[in-house]
Amino acid sequence: MSNIVRSSSHSPLQQRDQEKRSQDALLPAVDTFEESDVLKLVADMPGVTHESLKVEIDNNVLSLEGDIALNMPEGLSALHAEVRGQRFARRFNLSHEIDSDAITATIVNGVLTLTLPKKDSHRTRRIEVQAA
């Protein structure tokens, strides 16, 4: 994979603000798959629903944020919880190879799948060779 997606780095001022927001945020585990014409990101975000999820692109930075909503049955309370954060957050720098206008996202049972199509100019294409 040729640096299509990289973890984001920020200026010191942006990092300080980011650290304040991310103190209670968990990093979702993300798997990346590359195909000839698309890149797929699969992020595990248990407890995140469609309503609490926010996916944005700003200056080629892809941001994933989602609030965790763990519903307990009425009358019960948790004695122990292994999820320590209140939300998930992760950012990626996108390469110029990605068509950011055509990105699609779906979430099913806390698993977010993003499809990031490559621009036509960066897709692999087969060239027909003719016999002379």
Side-chain angles (χ1 to χ4, degrees):
M1 189 166 44
S2 59
N3 287 338
I4 294 175
V5 177
R6 291 192 313 258
S7 290
S8 177
S9 60
H10 300 284
S11 71
L13 181 59
Q14 288 173 321
Q15 281 181 333
R16 210 172 320 127
D17 184 44
Q18 180 69 21
E19 287 172 7
K20 287 179 186 177
R21 291 196 69 215
S22 65
Q23 285 175 349
D24 64 341
L26 301 170
L27 286 175
V30 176
D31 293 325
T32 308
F33 304 96
E34 185 174 12
E35 297 173 4
S36 63
D37 57 347
V38 299
L39 184 74
K40 291 199 181 235
L41 295 179
V42 179
D44 292 328
M45 302 173 81
V48 175
T49 63
H50 176 265
E51 294 80 23
S52 67
L53 179 65
K54 184 169 76 170
V55 179
E56 294 181 340
I57 294 181
D58 184 23
N59 290 330
N60 283 345
V61 176
L62 175 67
S63 300
L64 312 175
E65 294 184 20
D67 293 326
I68 298 170
L70 299 175
N71 298 326
M72 293 293 297
E74 192 172 323
L76 296 178
S77 62
L79 294 176
H80 173 75
E82 292 192 8
V83 177
R84 298 283 183 226
Q86 299 296 317
R87 63 189 199 87
F88 286 102
R90 187 124 182 217
R91 287 171 179 51
F92 299 93
N93 287 330
L94 297 181
S95 164
H96 64 280
E97 297 176 35
I98 299 296
D99 184 359
S100 60
D101 293 330
I103 294 174
T104 60
T106 59
I107 188 164
V108 177
N109 295 328
V111 178
L112 173 66
T113 303
L114 290 158
T115 302
L116 297 91
K118 295 179 186 177
K119 292 180 180 174
D120 288 335
S121 59
H122 294 282
R123 292 184 181 180
T124 304
R125 67 181 182 96
R126 183 177 170 91
I127 300 172
E128 288 294 324
V129 179
Q130 298 178 6

